[in-house]
Amino acid sequence: MTALKKPKSRIGEVNVERILDAALGVFARHGYSGARIDQIAEAAEMSKPNLLYYFRNKEELYRAVLRRTLDMWLGPLRELDPAKDPREALGNYIECKLSYSRTHPMASRLFAIEIMQGAQHLSEVLSTELAQLVEAKKATIRRWIEEKRLADIDPYHLLFAIWATTQHYADFAAQIQSLTGKDLSDEAFFAATKRSVTTIMLDGLVRHP
Amino acid sequence: MTALKKPKSRIGEVNVERILDAALGVFARHGYSGARIDQIAEAAEMSKPNLLYYFRNKEELYRAVLRRTLDMWLGPLRELDPAKDPREALGNYIECKLSYSRTHPMASRLFAIEIMQGAQHLSEVLSTELAQLVEAKKATIRRWIEEKRLADIDPYHLLFAIWATTQHYADFAAQIQSLTGKDLSDEAFFAATKRSVTTIMLDGLVRHP
DNA sequence: GTCTATAAGCGGATAGAC
DNA sequence: GTCTATCCGCTTATAGAC
C-alpha cells in the first residue's frame, strides 16, 4: 500500500532515484531552507504532490539525500592503506579525494554547508562512524611517524589539511572559477591541481638545501 | 528625515552596529534564506519593524553585512610582504589567516556559504578586487620561485592551499569539535594547529633523507 | 501512482499610533 | 525612533478525484 522509503515497484524505485538526484542539486545550491520542493519536483520532472507521495516531507527528503551520499563521502578514507608506503598511500588518498571533488562537487558542497551550519543532521554520524574511522587511521599515521617515514605531525591536523585542500576545489569552485576561469572538469586543470596539491602536502613549499 | 544607510544620530549608529553584529551571527548560521528577520531583531534586542526602519529589507541587510566584513576578509593577503623571506612571509600569512579563523569564525563561514551557493552577491568583488589582489601576489610568489627559494608551484594553487587549510578551522569547526572536542578558541589547540599547518605547508609531510 | 485544488501557516513588509 | 497590529504572498503539505 504505502511505497514510502521501500518502494516495491520498479517505477517507484526509479522515481525515488530521480527525486534524490534532483534534491542533491537543489539542496547543495540553496541550502535546506532555501530549497523549494516544487523546484526539486520540477528538476525531477514530477508534480509536487507526487514527490510528497514518496517523501513525507522536506526534512525526510533532506535526510535521505544526506544518507545516500554518506558512504561515498566516507569511502576514500577507508581505503587509506597502512601496508603501503606513506608517500604512496597519502598520494593515493589525495588523488582519490580530488577525483571525488571533480565528479561529485555537489555532494561535497552539500556536506560542507550542512557542517558549516552546525551539522545538526550529521552530528550523530560525525561522532560515531567518522570518529571511529578517524581513530583507526590515526593509528596508521602514528606508525608511519614512529618509523620516521612521516613528519612528526598530529594525525588530526594531517587529515584536516588533506580534507581542506582537496574539498576546497569543489566547495569554493565559484571563487576558483572567478579567479582562474577553470574548474576540475577541465582535464588539464585537474592534472595541474593534483600535481600542485600533492607537492605542497607531501614535499612542502620551502626548498630545503 | 530618512536615517537609512547614513544615520545622523548617535543612537542610530549604535543600532545599525547592533543589527549588523546580530545579522552576521544569524546569516552565518542559517544562510541567507534560512535567516529570519525577527531572529536577527531579537538578537539585536529590537523589534522587527524597528530593524526594518534601518534596513529597507532583508537583501539590503545581507549586502551590508557582507560589505562590512569584506575588508577584514581581504586584509591578510594585502600584508603578504615580497621583501621578506618566503618562509617568514608565508608563515606570517598562515598565522594571520589562522588568527582570523579564531577571532572571526562567523565571518569566515558567511563568506564560505555565500561562495558555495554560487557567490551571487560576491561575484563582482571576486572578479575585481580579489582578482587584482591575487594578480599582484602572483608576481611576488613567482619571484620567490625564480630565486629558487620556493618550490615550483603554480601561485594559484599555493594560495588556494593556504586559504583552504586555514579557513577550514573556522568553516568546519563543528566537525573538528566533534572529532577532537576542541576549537581554535582553546589556546593550546590554536598553538598546535598553527605549528602543524605551518609545518605541513612549508616543510611537507614526507621526510626527505 | 499521479493529478488539480486547496488548506494552513509562516515570514517579510507596512500602517499608523505614540 | 519605536511600538502593536496586520496584511499579503509564498511554500509546505493534504484532500480527494482519476
Side-chain angles (χ1 to χ4, degrees), chain A residues 126-127 131 135 138 156 160, chain B residues 173-186 189:
Chain A
L126 293 184
S127 54
E135 210 56 34
K138 267 168 62 182
Y156 279 129
F160 296 159
Chain B
Q175 178 172 250
I176 291 169
Q177 171 74 44
S178 177
L179 290 174
T180 69
K182 295 182 186 125
D183 59 44
L184 291 188
S185 67
D186 177 313
F189 186 73

Side-chain angles (χ1 to χ4, degrees), chain A residues 14 42 47 73 114 157 178:
Chain A
V14 170
E42 192 187 4
S47 72
W73 193 56
E114 168 64 20
H157 295 295
S178 177

